[in-house]
Amino acid sequence: MRILLLIGLILFSAGSQERKELVITQQKIQVSGYTSVGKFNCDFSKVGLADTLRFNSGEVKKGLEFKIPVKHFSCGNFLLNNDFRSTLKAEDFPFAHVRVANFREKSGKIFYHLSLDLVGKKLEFPDLMLERSPKGLSGKLILNFELLNLSPPSKFGGLVKVEDQLDLEILLGS
């Protein structure tokens, strides 16, 4: 009977251990926004990584850090790319720094800490939630231009305006 109990405990702890780790092989950051003529998406992705996330770990780990060259964001065409880079002041701030850390699982949901350094503005978001998907984990955050000390761009004498809200999505793929 004791042997059965011991085997059951080992199997149960091995199954729960698998849920506490995730190997990350892809990082993707997507910024989406809306204009008076439609939606735009600009993204940056990095594939071929191998890093392990541990949830509820007592060990000190720096988390995952992305140092993203703003010029490497792709928005679909060179006009949008140039507008996006100009808006984010790529000449003055050539890199966006994103750090995700302190992963913890509570009631089946995963929470994390996000640090964002963009256009010289450092922002901290200590308790964001990640969602599980077949592709890995994804988290969403809504930013606005005012929070980043930026003005929403407009073109053609104000005929095309960008709305104040930007959607930021982080994908940690496995």
Side-chain angles (χ1 to χ4, degrees):
M1 184 68 168
R2 288 181 186 171
I3 294 174
L4 261 171
L5 184 60
L6 183 61
I7 291 172
L9 279 172
I10 290 171
L11 290 175
F12 178 76
S13 66
S16 65
Q17 194 73 317
E18 285 179 39
R19 289 183 19 216
K20 303 291 183 199
E21 292 184 350
L22 179 67
V23 176
I24 301 299
T25 59
Q26 176 190 14
Q27 300 169 350
K28 181 177 180 181
I29 308 290
Q30 181 172 323
V31 178
S32 302
Y34 302 90
T35 70
S36 52
V37 294
K39 183 177 179 178
F40 67 90
N41 294 311
C42 300
D43 61 37
F44 171 83
S45 59
K46 199 174 193 180
V47 181
L49 308 169
D51 205 348
T52 303
L53 292 182
R54 289 183 176 81
F55 309 114
N56 301 332
S57 175
E59 70 183 53
V60 177
K61 186 168 177 7
K62 65 179 181 173
L64 298 176
E65 294 186 27
F66 313 111
K67 183 177 179 182
I68 305 168
V70 175
K71 291 184 178 183
H72 289 181
F73 269 94
S74 174
C75 301
N77 67 54
F78 74 95
L79 292 174
L80 285 174
N81 290 346
N82 287 337
D83 287 345
F84 185 76
R85 293 169 187 158
S86 174
T87 300
L88 294 183
K89 303 178 183 179
E91 293 298 320
D92 297 327
F93 305 101
F95 294 97
H97 298 272
V98 178
R99 182 174 173 263
V100 290
N102 192 21
F103 294 91
R104 56 212 182 279
E105 189 171 10
K106 293 184 209 171
S107 304
K109 297 179 181 175
I110 299 170
F111 295 88
Y112 70 107
H113 182 101
L114 172 70
S115 300
L116 180 63
D117 186 349
L118 185 63
V119 295
K121 182 83 173 180
K122 294 180 191 219
L123 303 170
E124 299 285 331
F125 303 94
D127 207 26
L128 297 176
M129 188 172 73
L130 288 169
E131 296 179 10
R132 292 181 194 264
S133 73
K135 295 179 182 179
L137 299 172
S138 67
K140 297 180 182 180
L141 176 67
I142 297 173
L143 298 172
N144 62 40
F145 284 95
E146 183 179 321
L147 186 63
L148 296 168
N149 293 332
L150 297 173
S151 299
S154 65
K155 295 289 183 189
F156 306 114
L159 289 174
V160 178
K161 295 180 183 178
V162 175
E163 291 183 17
D164 190 42
Q165 177 178 313
L166 292 172
D167 300 331
L168 177 71
E169 182 175 6
I170 297 173
L171 174 69
L172 302 174
S174 56

